[in-house]
Amino acid sequence: MAVRQVIFAALGVSVLALGACSGDGDPILMHAGAQNRGPDEFAILPTKPLELPDDLAALPAPNPGGANRVDPQPRADVARALGGNPAAAVSPGAMDGGIVNYASRFGRNADIRAQLAAEDLAHRQRNRGRLLERVFAVNVYHSAYEHMWLDKYSELERWRRAGARTPSAPPRELLDN
């Protein structure tokens, strides 16, 4: 009788061990809820072709950390494509200065990233999941934050009832289906 119990226990442990090895996705991608499908082709920016100067002796001095002429410059490229002056393309810092000043008019915390990271870690430690989820390293990120999710359809209806125009949202008929 004891031999059968040992055999069943060994089979149970082997099944559990094989089941734990089934996750072959990238933990970062799985953390975001996505499947591992390879690189995102829209995230790759092509570089401009290299140019050979007319006179190699007249090259400028190296500028470490400075801009390179072949680096992607999306704001200048958009200005050029729309017929504007690429030299007049405003950097994001200068363009967003007004809104940053307005948002920080009551003061700001310079250490906000570290504070939010600490609060997030404390929240995730309080919501670590059940025993078997921890033992088998099941990702419980989404379930830890599920109570904070915004229901997009009820929020859309709330704004529509308030009279706000929602031109980028789907029409009401498509939401009901």
Side-chain angles (χ1 to χ4, degrees):
M1 189 78 167
V3 175
R4 282 188 180 171
Q5 290 176 343
V6 171
I7 291 174
F8 283 127
L11 285 174
V13 168
S14 64
V15 167
L16 288 175
L18 288 175
C21 295
S22 67
D24 61 348
D26 186 358
I28 294 174
L29 290 176
M30 299 310 278
H31 182 279
Q35 294 177 353
N36 188 0
R37 298 183 187 176
D40 182 9
E41 61 273 9
F42 295 107
I44 300 171
L45 292 174
T47 57
K48 297 178 184 172
L50 294 175
E51 300 173 355
L52 185 65
D54 296 330
D55 184 13
L56 293 176
L59 289 174
N63 183 10
N68 189 343
R69 294 187 331 174
V70 296
D71 287 343
Q73 299 173 346
R75 291 187 183 275
D77 293 341
V78 167
R80 188 178 298 108
L82 295 175
N85 181 4
V90 180
S91 68
M95 185 175 65
D96 297 336
I99 196 163
V100 169
N101 288 335
Y102 182 78
S104 61
R105 68 191 180 278
F106 299 121
R108 61 180 164 219
N109 183 357
D111 197 30
I112 189 66
R113 291 182 189 266
Q115 177 186 347
L116 290 176
E119 290 174 2
D120 176 60
L121 179 63
H123 179 74
R124 286 186 288 122
Q125 285 176 343
R126 284 191 309 269
N127 298 286
R128 288 180 34 199
R130 290 178 223 107
L131 176 65
L132 289 178
E133 291 171 337
R134 291 194 310 267
V135 169
F136 294 109
V138 173
N139 189 339
V140 294
Y141 180 84
H142 292 292
S143 61
Y145 285 99
E146 190 171 14
H147 67 279
M148 296 182 186
W149 290 353
L150 180 67
D151 181 10
K152 58 186 173 185
Y153 296 115
S154 63
E155 190 66 14
L156 178 63
E157 284 303 313
R158 183 179 74 83
W159 279 102
R160 285 182 173 164
R161 281 192 307 271
R165 292 182 59 221
T166 54
S168 63
R172 189 175 310 243
E173 305 84 50
L174 293 178
L175 293 177
D176 293 336
N177 292 339

